Amino acid sequence: MNKKELNEIKKNFSDDSGYFTINSILSVYIDPEKNIKYCENKPHSIIPDDEREVVTETLKKVLTGTIGKNLVEYEFPNEAYEDGGAQKIIYELVNTKLKDESAINNFLEKITKNIDYAASFTILTAHCTYSIKRKNKNDEDDIDNITEEYNFVITAICPANTNDIGLYFDEETKTIAKKSNTEMIISKIPTDGFIYPVFSDRAPDVNHIMYFVKKPDKPNVSIVENVLDCVFTMSAQKQKARFQQVLNTVVSDELDYHVITQVNDKIREVVDLSKNETEAATINEKQLKHILSEVGVSEEKLQALEPAYKTLVGEIGLTASNIADNKTVVVTPDVTINIKKDAAGKLKTSMIQGRNCLIIDLDDPNIVVNGLPTTLK
Protein backbone atom coordinates (compact mmCIF):
# COMPACT_ATOMS: atom_id res chain seq x y z
CA MET A 1 0.00 0.00 0.00
CA ASN A 2 1.87 3.05 -1.21
CA LYS A 3 1.38 6.76 -0.56
CA LYS A 4 -0.91 7.27 -3.53
CA GLU A 5 -3.17 4.34 -2.59
CA LEU A 6 -3.24 5.37 1.06
CA ASN A 7 -4.21 8.93 0.13
CA GLU A 8 -7.02 7.64 -2.10
CA ILE A 9 -8.62 5.77 0.80
CA LYS A 10 -7.98 8.62 3.23
CA LYS A 11 -9.50 11.17 0.84
CA ASN A 12 -12.67 9.11 0.48
CA PHE A 13 -12.92 8.11 4.17
CA SER A 14 -15.93 10.34 4.82
CA ASP A 15 -19.70 10.21 5.07
CA ASP A 16 -19.73 12.83 2.33
CA SER A 17 -17.97 10.60 -0.20
CA GLY A 18 -20.28 9.07 -2.73
CA TYR A 19 -18.01 6.05 -3.07
CA PHE A 20 -17.40 5.13 0.56
CA THR A 21 -19.61 3.63 3.27
CA ILE A 22 -18.97 2.65 6.87
CA ASN A 23 -21.35 -0.28 7.27
CA SER A 24 -20.99 -1.41 10.89
CA ILE A 25 -19.15 -0.29 14.02
CA LEU A 26 -17.94 -2.64 16.75
CA SER A 27 -17.25 -0.77 20.01
CA VAL A 28 -15.53 -2.63 22.86
CA TYR A 29 -14.29 -1.42 26.24
CA ILE A 30 -11.59 -3.52 27.95
CA ASP A 31 -10.25 -2.99 31.48
CA PRO A 32 -6.57 -3.30 32.55
CA GLU A 33 -7.13 -6.99 33.45
CA LYS A 34 -8.26 -7.60 29.83
CA ASN A 35 -11.89 -8.15 30.79
CA ILE A 36 -14.46 -7.03 28.23
CA LYS A 37 -16.76 -4.65 30.08
CA TYR A 38 -18.76 -3.45 27.09
CA CYS A 39 -19.33 -4.73 23.58
CA GLU A 40 -21.79 -3.40 21.01
CA ASN A 41 -22.04 -3.90 17.28
CA LYS A 42 -24.47 -1.74 15.33
CA PRO A 43 -25.00 -0.20 11.90
CA HIS A 44 -23.09 3.02 11.42
CA SER A 45 -26.18 4.72 10.02
CA ILE A 46 -28.14 4.58 13.30
CA ILE A 47 -25.40 6.17 15.41
CA PRO A 48 -26.25 9.79 16.37
CA ASP A 49 -24.57 12.37 14.15
CA ASP A 50 -22.26 13.85 16.80
CA GLU A 51 -21.08 10.41 17.95
CA ARG A 52 -20.69 9.19 14.36
CA GLU A 53 -18.49 12.18 13.57
CA VAL A 54 -16.13 11.37 16.47
CA VAL A 55 -15.97 7.68 15.54
CA THR A 56 -15.19 8.47 11.90
CA GLU A 57 -12.52 10.99 12.91
CA THR A 58 -10.89 8.46 15.25
CA LEU A 59 -10.85 5.67 12.68
CA LYS A 60 -9.43 7.99 10.01
CA LYS A 61 -6.45 8.69 12.30
CA VAL A 62 -5.32 5.11 11.59
CA LEU A 63 -4.61 6.27 8.02
CA THR A 64 -2.47 9.25 9.02
CA GLY A 65 1.27 9.67 9.34
CA THR A 66 4.24 8.64 7.24
CA ILE A 67 4.60 5.25 5.59
CA GLY A 68 7.66 3.60 7.08
CA LYS A 69 7.26 5.49 10.37
CA ASN A 70 3.67 5.66 11.62
CA LEU A 71 2.42 3.16 9.05
CA VAL A 72 4.21 -0.13 8.43
CA GLU A 73 2.92 -2.82 6.11
CA TYR A 74 3.41 -6.43 7.18
CA GLU A 75 3.08 -9.65 5.24
CA PHE A 76 1.32 -12.51 7.00
CA PRO A 77 3.34 -15.71 7.38
CA ASN A 78 1.75 -18.89 6.04
CA GLU A 79 0.70 -20.10 9.48
CA ALA A 80 -1.36 -16.93 10.08
CA TYR A 81 -4.15 -18.45 7.99
CA GLU A 82 -4.35 -21.60 10.07
CA ASP A 83 -7.04 -22.00 12.75
CA GLY A 84 -6.45 -19.37 15.42
CA GLY A 85 -4.18 -17.36 13.14
CA ALA A 86 -4.65 -13.60 12.83
CA GLN A 87 -5.08 -13.54 9.05
CA LYS A 88 -7.89 -16.10 9.13
CA ILE A 89 -9.61 -14.36 12.06
CA ILE A 90 -9.53 -10.88 10.52
CA TYR A 91 -10.39 -12.23 7.05
CA GLU A 92 -13.56 -13.70 8.56
CA LEU A 93 -14.45 -10.27 9.99
CA VAL A 94 -14.22 -8.80 6.49
CA ASN A 95 -15.98 -11.71 4.82
CA THR A 96 -18.91 -11.70 7.28
CA LYS A 97 -19.09 -7.88 7.33
CA LEU A 98 -18.98 -7.80 11.15
CA LYS A 99 -22.28 -9.68 11.28
CA ASP A 100 -21.07 -13.03 12.60
CA GLU A 101 -20.92 -13.29 16.39
CA SER A 102 -18.45 -16.17 16.34
CA ALA A 103 -16.03 -14.23 14.11
CA ILE A 104 -16.25 -11.22 16.42
CA ASN A 105 -15.63 -13.36 19.52
CA ASN A 106 -12.54 -14.94 17.92
CA PHE A 107 -11.24 -11.48 17.04
CA LEU A 108 -11.73 -10.11 20.56
CA GLU A 109 -10.23 -13.22 22.15
CA LYS A 110 -7.15 -12.86 19.95
CA ILE A 111 -6.69 -9.29 21.16
CA THR A 112 -7.44 -9.71 24.86
CA LYS A 113 -5.24 -12.80 25.25
CA ASN A 114 -2.25 -11.39 23.40
CA ILE A 115 -2.10 -7.60 23.69
CA ASP A 116 0.29 -5.93 26.12
CA TYR A 117 -1.57 -2.80 27.21
CA ALA A 118 -1.17 -1.42 30.71
CA ALA A 119 -4.36 0.68 30.98
CA SER A 120 -8.00 0.40 30.02
CA PHE A 121 -8.63 0.80 26.32
CA THR A 122 -11.35 0.84 23.71
CA ILE A 123 -11.40 -0.98 20.39
CA LEU A 124 -13.29 0.64 17.54
CA THR A 125 -13.56 -1.61 14.50
CA ALA A 126 -15.47 -0.70 11.36
CA HIS A 127 -16.42 -2.67 8.28
CA CYS A 128 -16.14 -0.35 5.27
CA THR A 129 -16.80 -0.49 1.55
CA TYR A 130 -15.07 1.64 -1.07
CA SER A 131 -16.31 1.56 -4.67
CA ILE A 132 -13.16 1.54 -6.77
CA LYS A 133 -13.23 4.06 -9.58
CA ARG A 134 -11.18 2.94 -12.52
CA LYS A 135 -8.92 5.37 -14.36
CA ASN A 136 -9.31 6.65 -17.89
CA LYS A 137 -6.44 7.07 -20.35
CA ASN A 138 -5.52 10.41 -18.70
CA ASP A 139 -5.17 8.70 -15.28
CA GLU A 140 -8.29 10.48 -14.05
CA ASP A 141 -11.17 8.92 -12.13
CA ASP A 142 -13.77 7.43 -14.46
CA ILE A 143 -16.95 7.74 -12.42
CA ASP A 144 -18.87 5.64 -14.94
CA ASN A 145 -16.44 2.74 -14.60
CA ILE A 146 -16.76 1.26 -11.12
CA THR A 147 -15.86 -2.40 -11.46
CA GLU A 148 -15.05 -3.62 -7.97
CA GLU A 149 -15.68 -3.01 -4.29
CA TYR A 150 -12.89 -2.85 -1.74
CA ASN A 151 -14.26 -4.24 1.54
CA PHE A 152 -12.03 -3.85 4.57
CA VAL A 153 -11.96 -3.54 8.35
CA ILE A 154 -10.15 -0.77 10.16
CA THR A 155 -9.39 -0.90 13.88
CA ALA A 156 -8.42 1.90 16.24
CA ILE A 157 -7.09 1.11 19.73
CA CYS A 158 -7.68 4.08 22.04
CA PRO A 159 -6.56 4.50 25.67
CA ALA A 160 -9.15 5.35 28.32
CA ASN A 161 -8.31 7.31 31.47
CA THR A 162 -9.90 9.55 34.06
CA ASN A 163 -9.22 13.25 33.67
CA ASP A 164 -8.28 15.66 36.46
CA ILE A 165 -10.40 18.68 35.55
CA GLY A 166 -9.13 20.79 38.43
CA LEU A 167 -11.26 23.50 40.05
CA TYR A 168 -14.82 24.40 39.11
CA PHE A 169 -17.42 26.98 40.18
CA ASP A 170 -20.48 25.55 41.92
CA GLU A 171 -23.53 27.64 41.04
CA GLU A 172 -25.59 26.30 43.95
CA THR A 173 -23.09 26.96 46.75
CA LYS A 174 -21.40 29.89 45.00
CA THR A 175 -18.01 28.39 45.80
CA ILE A 176 -14.94 27.28 43.95
CA ALA A 177 -13.98 23.68 44.68
CA LYS A 178 -11.98 20.76 43.37
CA LYS A 179 -14.00 18.47 41.16
CA SER A 180 -13.15 14.78 40.98
CA ASN A 181 -13.83 13.06 37.70
CA THR A 182 -14.30 9.30 37.87
CA GLU A 183 -15.59 8.89 34.30
CA MET A 184 -13.33 7.07 31.87
CA ILE A 185 -12.56 9.38 28.96
CA ILE A 186 -11.77 7.58 25.71
CA SER A 187 -9.09 9.31 23.66
CA LYS A 188 -10.10 10.39 20.15
CA ILE A 189 -6.54 9.69 19.02
CA PRO A 190 -5.63 6.00 18.84
CA THR A 191 -2.23 4.80 19.99
CA ASP A 192 -2.33 1.84 17.59
CA GLY A 193 -4.49 0.43 14.83
CA PHE A 194 -4.55 -1.50 11.59
CA ILE A 195 -6.36 -1.80 8.26
CA TYR A 196 -6.99 -5.10 6.47
CA PRO A 197 -6.75 -6.04 3.69
CA VAL A 198 -4.44 -3.37 2.31
CA PHE A 199 -5.33 -1.48 -0.87
CA SER A 200 -2.60 -2.44 -3.33
CA ASP A 201 -2.62 -1.87 -7.10
CA ARG A 202 -6.11 -0.48 -6.50
CA ALA A 203 -7.37 -3.86 -5.31
CA PRO A 204 -7.57 -5.78 -1.99
CA ASP A 205 -4.42 -7.63 -0.95
CA VAL A 206 -5.46 -10.17 1.68
CA ASN A 207 -1.90 -11.28 2.43
CA HIS A 208 -0.80 -7.95 3.90
CA ILE A 209 -1.95 -5.74 6.77
CA MET A 210 -1.04 -2.13 7.58
CA TYR A 211 -0.15 -1.38 11.22
CA PHE A 212 -0.51 2.16 12.57
CA VAL A 213 1.30 3.58 15.60
CA LYS A 214 0.85 7.10 16.95
CA LYS A 215 4.45 7.34 18.20
CA PRO A 216 6.85 5.66 15.76
CA ASP A 217 9.53 5.35 18.46
CA LYS A 218 7.12 3.43 20.71
CA PRO A 219 5.47 0.69 18.63
CA ASN A 220 3.45 -1.91 20.49
CA VAL A 221 5.38 -5.03 19.49
CA SER A 222 2.76 -7.28 21.13
CA ILE A 223 0.15 -6.11 18.61
CA VAL A 224 2.38 -6.83 15.61
CA GLU A 225 3.78 -10.15 16.81
CA ASN A 226 1.09 -11.64 19.06
CA VAL A 227 -2.17 -10.12 17.84
CA LEU A 228 -1.38 -9.87 14.12
CA ASP A 229 1.07 -12.82 14.04
CA CYS A 230 3.59 -10.90 11.94
CA VAL A 231 7.37 -10.56 12.24
CA PHE A 232 8.14 -7.14 13.75
CA THR A 233 10.54 -4.93 11.82
CA MET A 234 12.69 -2.16 13.24
CA SER A 235 11.02 1.09 14.25
CA ALA A 236 12.12 4.35 12.62
CA GLN A 237 14.11 5.23 15.74
CA LYS A 238 15.89 1.86 15.78
CA GLN A 239 16.66 2.10 12.06
CA LYS A 240 18.43 5.40 12.68
CA ALA A 241 20.30 3.99 15.68
CA ARG A 242 21.49 0.98 13.66
CA PHE A 243 22.52 3.24 10.78
CA GLN A 244 24.62 5.34 13.17
CA GLN A 245 26.16 2.16 14.57
CA VAL A 246 27.14 1.11 11.05
CA LEU A 247 28.83 4.47 10.42
CA ASN A 248 30.66 4.37 13.75
CA THR A 249 31.83 0.80 13.15
CA VAL A 250 32.91 1.22 9.54
CA VAL A 251 34.18 4.79 9.25
CA SER A 252 35.52 5.13 12.83
CA ASP A 253 38.40 7.64 12.92
CA GLU A 254 37.52 9.05 9.48
CA LEU A 255 34.10 10.12 10.75
CA ASP A 256 34.52 13.91 10.85
CA TYR A 257 32.13 16.85 10.39
CA HIS A 258 32.53 16.80 6.60
CA VAL A 259 31.77 13.08 6.23
CA ILE A 260 28.76 13.20 8.56
CA THR A 261 27.12 16.20 6.88
CA GLN A 262 27.91 15.06 3.35
CA VAL A 263 26.45 11.59 3.97
CA ASN A 264 23.32 13.21 5.40
CA ASP A 265 23.03 15.57 2.40
CA LYS A 266 23.25 12.67 -0.05
CA ILE A 267 20.61 10.65 1.81
CA ARG A 268 18.36 13.73 1.90
CA GLU A 269 18.82 13.99 -1.88
CA VAL A 270 17.46 10.44 -2.17
CA VAL A 271 14.46 11.42 -0.01
CA ASP A 272 13.80 14.59 -2.05
CA LEU A 273 14.02 12.76 -5.37
CA SER A 274 11.46 10.20 -4.18
CA LYS A 275 8.86 12.69 -2.92
CA ASN A 276 6.62 12.10 -5.91
CA GLU A 277 7.19 8.34 -5.92
CA THR A 278 4.58 6.02 -4.52
CA GLU A 279 7.05 3.82 -2.61
CA ALA A 280 9.25 5.08 0.23
CA ALA A 281 12.92 5.25 -0.79
CA THR A 282 15.35 2.91 0.96
CA ILE A 283 19.14 2.79 1.38
CA ASN A 284 20.71 -0.65 1.18
CA GLU A 285 24.26 -1.80 1.76
CA LYS A 286 25.40 -1.16 -1.84
CA GLN A 287 23.92 2.34 -1.96
CA LEU A 288 25.49 3.22 1.38
CA LYS A 289 28.88 1.98 0.18
CA HIS A 290 28.58 4.19 -2.90
CA ILE A 291 27.67 7.22 -0.77
CA LEU A 292 30.57 6.68 1.62
CA SER A 293 32.95 6.31 -1.29
CA GLU A 294 31.68 9.57 -2.83
CA VAL A 295 32.34 11.55 0.38
CA GLY A 296 35.91 10.31 0.64
CA VAL A 297 35.86 7.32 2.99
CA SER A 298 38.90 5.15 2.24
CA GLU A 299 38.63 1.84 0.44
CA GLU A 300 40.18 0.13 3.45
CA LYS A 301 37.26 1.27 5.61
CA LEU A 302 34.67 0.36 2.98
CA GLN A 303 35.81 -3.28 3.10
CA ALA A 304 34.27 -3.53 6.57
CA LEU A 305 30.84 -2.26 5.45
CA GLU A 306 29.26 -5.51 4.26
CA PRO A 307 29.84 -7.58 7.44
CA ALA A 308 28.95 -4.63 9.69
CA TYR A 309 25.73 -3.89 7.79
CA LYS A 310 24.61 -7.53 7.80
CA THR A 311 25.34 -7.89 11.50
CA LEU A 312 23.62 -4.66 12.61
CA VAL A 313 20.85 -4.31 10.02
CA GLY A 314 20.47 -7.60 8.19
CA GLU A 315 19.30 -8.03 4.62
CA ILE A 316 16.74 -5.21 4.61
CA GLY A 317 17.09 -1.68 3.29
CA LEU A 318 16.77 1.26 5.66
CA THR A 319 13.99 3.76 4.95
CA ALA A 320 15.85 6.88 3.75
CA SER A 321 13.52 9.33 5.52
CA ASN A 322 14.10 7.48 8.81
CA ILE A 323 17.89 7.91 8.75
CA ALA A 324 18.17 11.42 7.29
CA ASP A 325 18.28 14.54 9.47
CA ASN A 326 16.56 17.74 8.41
CA LYS A 327 19.03 19.85 10.36
CA THR A 328 22.57 19.53 11.67
CA VAL A 329 23.13 19.70 15.42
CA VAL A 330 26.64 20.19 16.81
CA VAL A 331 26.98 19.57 20.54
CA THR A 332 29.97 20.33 22.79
CA PRO A 333 30.00 20.27 26.61
CA ASP A 334 29.30 24.02 26.68
CA VAL A 335 27.78 24.93 23.32
CA THR A 336 24.97 23.55 21.12
CA ILE A 337 24.63 24.78 17.54
CA ASN A 338 21.51 24.06 15.46
CA ILE A 339 22.08 24.47 11.74
CA LYS A 340 19.14 24.67 9.35
CA LYS A 341 18.71 22.45 6.33
CA ASP A 342 21.16 23.23 3.50
CA ALA A 343 23.34 25.40 5.79
CA ALA A 344 25.74 22.74 7.07
CA GLY A 345 28.44 24.10 4.75
CA LYS A 346 28.48 27.39 6.66
CA LEU A 347 30.22 25.72 9.62
CA LYS A 348 33.83 24.55 9.43
CA THR A 349 36.31 23.00 11.82
CA SER A 350 39.78 24.48 12.08
CA MET A 351 42.91 24.66 14.23
CA ILE A 352 43.67 28.27 15.20
CA GLN A 353 46.73 29.08 17.32
CA GLY A 354 46.84 25.51 18.56
CA ARG A 355 43.15 25.39 19.54
CA ASN A 356 40.31 23.39 17.98
CA CYS A 357 37.71 25.83 16.67
CA LEU A 358 34.32 25.88 14.98
CA ILE A 359 34.04 28.65 12.41
CA ILE A 360 30.65 29.89 11.17
CA ASP A 361 30.52 31.79 7.89
CA LEU A 362 28.13 34.75 8.17
CA ASP A 363 26.68 36.35 5.04
CA ASP A 364 25.41 39.21 7.20
CA PRO A 365 27.29 40.63 10.21
CA ASN A 366 23.99 41.53 11.89
CA ILE A 367 23.03 38.85 14.43
CA VAL A 368 20.64 38.51 17.38
CA VAL A 369 21.94 37.66 20.85
CA ASN A 370 19.40 36.82 23.59
CA GLY A 371 16.72 38.50 21.52
CA LEU A 372 18.74 41.72 21.02
CA PRO A 373 20.05 42.75 17.59
CA THR A 374 23.75 43.47 17.36
CA THR A 375 26.54 43.62 14.79
CA LEU A 376 29.80 41.71 14.79
CA LYS A 377 32.70 44.15 14.81
Side-chain angles (χ1 to χ4, degrees), residues 218-229:
K218 295 182 179 179
N220 192 322
V221 179
S222 73
I223 295 177
V224 176
E225 293 190 339
N226 304 326
V227 175
L228 302 181
D229 293 341

Side-chain angles (χ1 to χ4, degrees), residues 51 57 115 146 151 165 171-172 194 196 199-200 210 215 218 234 266 291 306 323 328 356:
E51 183 182 338
E57 179 186 347
I115 195 170
I146 296 174
N151 288 287
I165 60 175
E171 282 282 356
E172 292 183 5
F194 49 86
Y196 174 83
F199 187 58
S200 180
M210 181 75 84
K215 297 181 178 179
K218 295 182 179 179
M234 284 188 287
K266 290 186 178 296
I291 289 172
E306 181 179 353
I323 61 176
T328 301
N356 295 314

Side-chain angles (χ1 to χ4, degrees), residues 264-318:
N264 189 62
D265 285 348
K266 290 186 178 296
I267 294 175
R268 278 206 355 256
E269 285 177 13
V270 173
V271 175
D272 292 340
L273 288 172
S274 68
K275 278 184 177 178
N276 296 323
E277 300 295 326
T278 54
E279 303 291 342
T282 59
I283 300 291
N284 58 29
E285 169 209 328
K286 291 183 179 178
Q287 291 167 300
L288 182 57
K289 185 174 183 178
H290 179 69
I291 289 172
L292 293 178
S293 177
E294 281 191 320
V295 302
V297 175
S298 66
E299 185 62 32
E300 180 186 357
K301 299 289 187 186
L302 293 178
Q303 296 303 316
L305 179 60
E306 181 179 353
Y309 190 96
K310 288 185 176 177
T311 299
L312 294 167
V313 179
E315 302 294 334
I316 65 170
L318 297 167

Side-chain angles (χ1 to χ4, degrees), residues 93-281:
L93 281 187
V94 180
N95 198 37
T96 59
K97 300 182 178 181
L98 277 182
K99 293 180 180 179
D100 184 85
E101 187 175 343
S102 175
I104 291 173
N105 289 338
N106 290 337
F107 174 64
L108 295 179
E109 183 179 10
K110 183 72 171 175
I111 292 176
T112 55
K113 283 190 173 181
N114 294 284
I115 195 170
D116 183 7
Y117 213 92
S120 300
F121 63 97
T122 291
I123 298 170
L124 295 175
T125 296
H127 181 274
C128 309
T129 301
Y130 172 57
S131 299
I132 303 172
K133 297 164 286 185
R134 293 304 171 191
K135 302 289 185 178
N136 59 27
K137 61 183 180 181
N138 298 319
D139 197 35
E140 297 170 338
D141 290 337
D142 185 352
I143 60 176
D144 296 322
N145 185 14
I146 296 174
T147 59
E148 188 178 353
E149 286 186 343
Y150 167 46
N151 288 287
F152 64 95
V153 292
I154 185 168
T155 292
I157 300 173
C158 306
N161 295 288
T162 56
N163 281 352
D164 182 356
I165 60 175
L167 301 176
Y168 82 110
F169 179 70
D170 190 325
E171 282 282 356
E172 292 183 5
T173 62
K174 306 299 181 188
T175 59
I176 293 177
K178 172 73 171 67
K179 182 165 184 174
S180 299
N181 186 6
T182 58
E183 295 179 343
M184 298 299 290
I185 307 299
I186 298 166
S187 172
K188 292 195 297 184
I189 303 176
T191 55
D192 306 88
F194 49 86
I195 178 172
Y196 174 83
V198 299
F199 187 58
S200 180
D201 292 329
R202 310 200 72 242
D205 176 359
V206 298
N207 292 316
H208 290 81
I209 191 166
M210 181 75 84
Y211 166 67
F212 161 83
V213 61
K214 177 185 174 184
K215 297 181 178 179
D217 58 332
K218 295 182 179 179
N220 192 322
V221 179
S222 73
I223 295 177
V224 176
E225 293 190 339
N226 304 326
V227 175
L228 302 181
D229 293 341
C230 295
V231 178
F232 178 73
T233 58
M234 284 188 287
S235 65
Q237 185 183 44
K238 184 165 283 188
Q239 282 194 34
K240 187 168 187 177
R242 291 294 174 84
F243 168 70
Q244 291 175 337
Q245 283 181 275
V246 170
L247 289 186
N248 271 320
T249 301
V250 174
V251 186
S252 59
D253 58 334
E254 292 182 19
L255 196 61
D256 59 15
Y257 179 81
H258 170 79
V259 169
I260 294 170
T261 55
Q262 288 297 302
V263 167
N264 189 62
D265 285 348
K266 290 186 178 296
I267 294 175
R268 278 206 355 256
E269 285 177 13
V270 173
V271 175
D272 292 340
L273 288 172
S274 68
K275 278 184 177 178
N276 296 323
E277 300 295 326
T278 54
E279 303 291 342

